[in-house]
Amino acid sequence: MPATRVNGVLALGGIALAALLAVVGHAGVTDLDPLRLTVSDYAVSDSGGMIHVAMLLLAAASAVLVPAVRRLGPPDSRRHTATAMLTVWASGLLVSGLVPTNPPGTTMDTAAYVHRYASVVAFLALPVAGWLLAARLPAGARRWLRILTVASLVLAAAMAWSAYPGDRALYGLIERALILTEVTLLTLLTLSLS
């Protein structure tokens, strides 16, 4: 089996397992509002730590794709930037998984700020990587990667609006839609690179 296919199988397995653990982690927390509170709020309230493990698995699955991107055609500035953005995404997830936020309703400490901004950087980096890599992929994958990229950026803007002037209206729902969109983008990218 070629190295790229092995990377793809490992990445898809990691993505699937991360998704399963995130769902299990959510099911284990019953007293929080998923429409208002973030996945990180659930993660810090999840006594089993399933959501933190899911973040770490997704980071590892993403990191496995970096060598596959490096093998995608001749090197140029777009591929280098896409590789860097995929690395930033994986690193941001890793930091977010290792550094928990504060419990809901408490004052943010330094760790919570590190967690927040690592997440923000990660969620902005993946769509950039997807957009840049789309040009190197077949037409169908290219179109869907670009649609998912635009959807991710629109949802990120909606989160920014909700966080500040929107008084956190549907903040948790918007974040979950963003996560679903970006995990779908990552899955499509994985399938296209394998």
Side-chain angles (χ1 to χ4, degrees):
M1 187 180 290
T4 302
R5 178 138 320 209
V6 171
N7 290 43
V9 168
L10 289 172
L12 286 174
I15 293 167
L17 186 54
L20 176 65
L21 291 175
V23 169
V24 170
H26 272 74
V29 179
T30 57
D31 58 340
L32 298 179
D33 180 3
L35 298 179
R36 191 175 64 80
L37 297 174
T38 67
V39 172
S40 296
D41 292 329
Y42 272 69
V44 78
S45 301
D46 173 21
S47 60
M50 294 286 183
I51 295 173
H52 283 289
V53 173
M55 284 189 249
L56 296 173
L57 266 171
L58 197 56
S62 301
V64 165
L65 289 179
V66 171
V69 171
R70 286 190 183 129
R71 290 190 289 270
L72 187 62
D76 64 10
S77 62
R78 293 183 81 150
R79 193 190 78 185
H80 288 303
T81 303
T83 302
M85 291 296 101
L86 188 58
T87 303
V88 167
W89 155 260
S91 300
L93 286 175
L94 178 66
V95 170
S96 297
L98 292 174
V99 180
T101 191
N102 58 300
T106 62
T107 304
M108 289 185 70
D109 59 10
T110 302
Y113 280 109
V114 168
H115 176 92
R116 174 185 285 177
Y117 291 110
S119 298
V120 168
V121 169
F123 283 117
L124 293 175
L126 183 61
V128 172
W131 186 270
L132 292 172
L133 291 172
R136 294 180 176 260
L137 300 174
R142 179 182 317 129
R143 183 171 43 93
W144 280 107
L145 277 175
R146 289 190 172 150
I147 288 168
L148 291 166
T149 294
V150 171
S152 293
L153 294 173
V154 167
L155 287 164
M159 277 189 72
W161 174 85
S162 177
Y164 297 104
D167 196 32
R168 294 182 67 88
L170 300 176
Y171 192 76
L173 178 64
I174 297 166
E175 184 196 49
R176 284 164 179 80
L178 174 61
I179 291 168
L180 180 61
T181 302
E182 294 212 358
V183 169
T184 303
L185 189 157
L186 184 66
T187 302
L188 178 59
L189 186 58
T190 302
L191 291 169
S192 300
L193 292 172
S194 302

